[in-house]
Amino acid sequence: MTKSRRAATSARTPASAEATARKLAAAPAAGTRLSAGGAFALNTCFVTGLLVLSQLSLLQQRPTVRASIVAAALFLLAWSGLLFGVLRRGQKVALEIVLRRQHYLQACQQGAVILYWGYYWREVYHAAPLIAAQLLFAYGFDSLLSWTHRRKFVLGFGPFPIIFSINLFLWFKDDWFYLQFAMVALGFLAKEFLRWTRDGVNTHIFNPSSFPLAVASVLLLIANASQTTWGFEVATTQFYPPQMYLAIFLFAMPGQYLFGVTPMTMAAVVTTYVFSAIYYAATGAYFFSDSHVPIAVFLGMHLLFTDPATSPRTELGRIVYGVLYGLTTVLLYGVLIRAGMPGFYDKLLQVPLLNLSAGLLDRLARSPLLQKIDPSAWGLALVPRRRHLAYISVWAVAFVAMSASGYLGDKHSGQYLPFWQQACAADARSACEDLYYLEDGYCEDGSGWACNEVGILLAEHYANPRRAAMSFERACVLRFSAGCDNTSAITKGSMFRRDAPTLADYRFILRGSKGPFPDQAPAQLYARACVQGWPDTCRIQ
């Protein structure tokens, strides 16, 4: 199709432009017919790969992980034997090789995030063989499911973005690693069987990575079993790399341009940012503690809910879709935290429901009433890529403005204790609760000063002398003398003693949300403390 003809086509309707983009995104298929033996041999490659991985020396000290991988391999092998035993009477199955651009581009974007994140939190690199095992299982499971249901399997890069996306948001710990395979299987089952017809095309309803993430999240919340996952660590350590917001923004740019999903991302981020700004102006505290848009939420707004196949196809529909994601993220975070549940599920639970709304949002966007405000009507003369570039330009300006404000980036004041100490003293909404969680985390890490402050907060603000006494005792064990004095003060009803943090404490409490930093000389620690606003440290340098 020539450039002029594409321009003429795009000028007729936005829907036809999206259809053209989808056709161009798919590479030609190379197909063949395999005998039952040939298909069995292909699937045996995935099984063999899993068995080889299970024997890596890296997994010698992880017996449950090793057993889970072997069990996954044996499951695939048994299914293969059953299926191809049934097909032994001369029947054949189809194998098509299709390299879709959206699959390998998404995989590259997600892989770049994983590599950059892993450089600053090495648990990601340690999980590399586990991610490889999930990929092999995904290929084997997908091929067997497709051959069982349709006698046709499309081989390409499809499993990569599914596995990478799942591992960007939720891991099970070693003792429950087999549940990671269950999530992968659930994603492919949903893609194969939960389908509908949109714009005359039969397609899957749910994003195959977000659906199992949402189901797992619901079950974990019901069972109060979040401790079986690395969910909290995943959500917090993604902030460790420097300039992570900018990195995600840049990594996502090619997909934003090629597939036109910028309206969703921009609407979601801006909605969440504006809500956070209004909340801060009204209460004097931050809704999300260390950013107006938490880093894991920002990642989800770029690389989780933006799947072109399961989201609206009209531009107005995509904008509303993004707004809904931003608002539901805020709502879920508030509900989860108030219920005493982990807040990191806020970006996962709502995506399947939003997927279900995609068709309705498109129909509303095409209604005569709303067509008048559809942004696509303002750029009918532009080919799709130029409209995508226009959206990216607006989004880039908005991102730069939000970053320059200081409320989206590495230097947000909410990641440091002095802000929350002042906000709690001013009785700002929920500020003392946030202060408690921050200080309690540093206490667990080994800061005696933080344990003492937690004890005082529990005694004076929350009237919980039993837990306060436990915190004072831990402070004393960590050789913070004020904690020892307060252990007896709590029984006598005396005034509690506060002391300045020691150099050992500063190595914990100065790190904020960016994670541990290398041991530094006293002058450097005091300089860092001075910048963050700790009293009396500026004159010590």
Side-chain angles (χ1 to χ4, degrees):
M1 183 182 287
T2 64
K3 183 176 180 180
S4 59
R5 188 176 174 185
R6 289 202 305 271
T9 303
S10 66
R12 286 195 289 271
T13 65
S16 64
E18 295 299 333
T20 301
R22 288 196 300 274
K23 290 177 181 177
L24 292 173
T32 187
R33 304 285 295 178
L34 296 179
S35 65
F40 181 82
L42 176 60
N43 203 262
T44 301
C45 294
F46 304 132
V47 173
T48 302
L50 284 168
L51 292 175
V52 170
L53 271 175
S54 70
Q55 300 307 306
L56 290 177
S57 59
L58 295 171
L59 301 181
Q60 284 183 353
Q61 305 302 318
R62 307 171 77 174
T64 305
V65 171
R66 172 173 285 180
S68 300
I69 296 173
V70 171
L74 294 178
F75 170 76
L76 295 180
L77 185 62
W79 188 357
S80 297
L82 178 63
L83 174 62
F84 299 119
V86 171
L87 294 176
R88 67 184 181 278
R89 297 180 181 176
Q91 297 184 49
K92 292 190 175 183
V93 293
L95 172 67
E96 290 186 2
I97 300 176
V98 182
L99 307 180
R100 293 190 174 95
R101 182 161 49 193
Q102 61 265 39
H103 290 160
Y104 60 74
L105 181 58
Q106 287 173 359
C108 289
Q109 293 171 325
Q110 295 160 345
V113 173
I114 289 172
L115 290 173
Y116 187 51
W117 169 33
Y119 186 80
Y120 290 91
W121 190 50
R122 290 308 172 99
E123 290 298 327
V124 179
Y125 289 176
H126 297 160
L130 311 188
I131 296 174
Q134 292 171 67
L135 278 169
L136 289 168
F137 177 78
Y139 273 103
F141 188 91
D142 188 26
S143 65
L144 290 170
L145 181 63
S146 300
W147 277 325
T148 301
H149 185 225
R150 294 182 281 111
R151 300 292 189 266
K152 174 184 175 181
F153 171 51
V154 178
L155 179 63
F157 289 98
F160 275 84
I162 296 174
I163 301 304
F164 283 177
S165 183
I166 288 174
N167 284 271
L168 277 170
F169 296 99
L170 192 64
W171 307 350
F172 281 93
K173 293 179 180 177
D174 282 8
D175 289 344
W176 296 271
F177 182 70
Y178 56 90
L179 295 175
Q180 204 79 18
F181 291 121
M183 276 205 299
V184 173
L186 180 60
F188 283 98
L189 286 168
K191 183 179 179 182
E192 184 72 21
F193 294 109
L194 302 180
R195 305 180 70 85
W196 60 6
T197 299
R198 288 181 59 197
D199 298 331
V201 178
N202 182 268
T203 185
H204 50 284
I205 301 173
F206 300 109
N207 181 323
S209 57
S210 64
F211 182 78
L213 285 169
V215 172
S217 298
V218 170
L219 295 177
L220 288 166
L221 287 170
I222 292 174
N224 192 26
S226 298
Q227 73 279 1
T228 64
T229 76
W230 292 97
F232 177 77
E233 290 83 358
V234 166
T236 53
T237 59
Q238 286 173 349
F239 195 38
Y240 283 8
Q243 301 299 329
M244 190 58 163
Y245 286 92
L246 177 61
I248 293 172
F249 175 82
L250 294 176
F251 292 152
M253 189 71 71
Q256 303 273 331
Y257 174 68
L258 291 174
F259 307 123
V261 296
T262 308
M264 289 185 272
T265 295
M266 178 170 61
V269 176
V270 170
T271 297
T272 308
Y273 182 92
V274 169
F275 173 86
S276 296
I278 293 173
Y279 183 91
Y280 174 62
T283 66
Y286 298 119
F287 186 76
F288 301 107
S289 62
D290 56 8
S291 177
H292 276 18
V293 184
I295 190 64
V297 171
F298 190 79
L299 178 62
M301 290 172 173
H302 284 78
L303 298 177
L304 178 65
F305 91 117
T306 53
D307 175 23
T310 56
S311 56
R313 292 167 184 167
T314 59
E315 292 179 9
L316 180 59
R318 289 181 169 183
I319 291 173
V320 176
Y321 189 76
V323 170
L324 289 175
Y325 185 73
L327 291 176
T328 52
T329 297
V330 167
L331 175 64
L332 284 169
Y333 181 80
V335 170
L336 290 168
I337 294 299
R338 293 294 171 266
M341 298 177 178
F344 63 81
Y345 296 111
D346 57 354
K347 58 198 171 290
L348 305 177
L349 292 167
Q350 70 274 47
V351 181
L353 295 177
L354 291 176
N355 293 158
L356 284 171
S357 74
L360 174 62
L361 293 177
D362 277 339
R363 288 194 295 274
L364 291 174
R366 290 170 182 147
S367 66
L369 179 63
L370 294 181
Q371 274 187 335
K372 298 177 182 178
I373 60 172
D374 189 341
S376 62
W378 308 335
L380 287 177
L382 298 176
V383 295
R385 296 288 172 77
R386 289 189 178 180
R387 290 210 304 277
H388 300 172
L389 186 60
Y391 275 113
I392 287 175
S393 300
V394 175
W395 169 221
V397 171
F399 174 75
V400 169
M402 288 186 287
S403 300
S405 71
Y407 295 123
L408 191 74
D410 290 356
K411 297 183 179 180
H412 191 282
S413 60
Q415 65 176 302
Y416 302 120
L417 278 174
F419 170 83
W420 294 105
Q421 290 174 322
Q422 296 168 16
C424 179
D427 202 25
R429 180 182 175 87
S430 73
C432 291
E433 184 177 349
D434 285 292
L435 176 62
Y436 166 78
Y437 283 121
L438 284 172
E439 290 179 341
D440 189 55
Y442 296 136
C443 173
E444 289 185 7
D445 290 340
S447 168
W449 173 88
C451 294
N452 188 59
E453 291 295 313
V454 166
I456 295 173
L457 191 62
L458 286 168
E460 294 183 345
H461 191 83
Y462 292 105
N464 193 331
R466 184 181 65 83
R467 290 187 60 192
M470 294 171 61
S471 293
F472 290 140
E473 288 173 7
R474 176 160 172 76
C476 187
V477 168
L478 292 170
R479 300 182 180 181
F480 193 75
S481 59
C484 303
D485 293 343
N486 290 334
T487 301
S488 56
I490 197 169
T491 58
K492 298 176 181 178
S494 306
M495 294 290 291
F496 294 115
R497 175 186 160 196
R498 279 190 161 97
D499 260 341
T502 66
L503 281 173
D505 292 309
Y506 279 131
R507 290 189 171 89
F508 294 107
I509 65 179
L510 296 181
R511 71 189 191 190
S513 301
K514 298 301 288 184
F517 52 86
D519 291 341
Q520 299 182 46
Q524 294 173 310
L525 286 170
Y526 285 128
R528 184 186 287 260
C530 176
V531 170
Q532 290 184 18
W534 287 91
D536 302 324
T537 55
C538 296
R539 57 196 177 103
I540 299 178
Q541 301 175 57

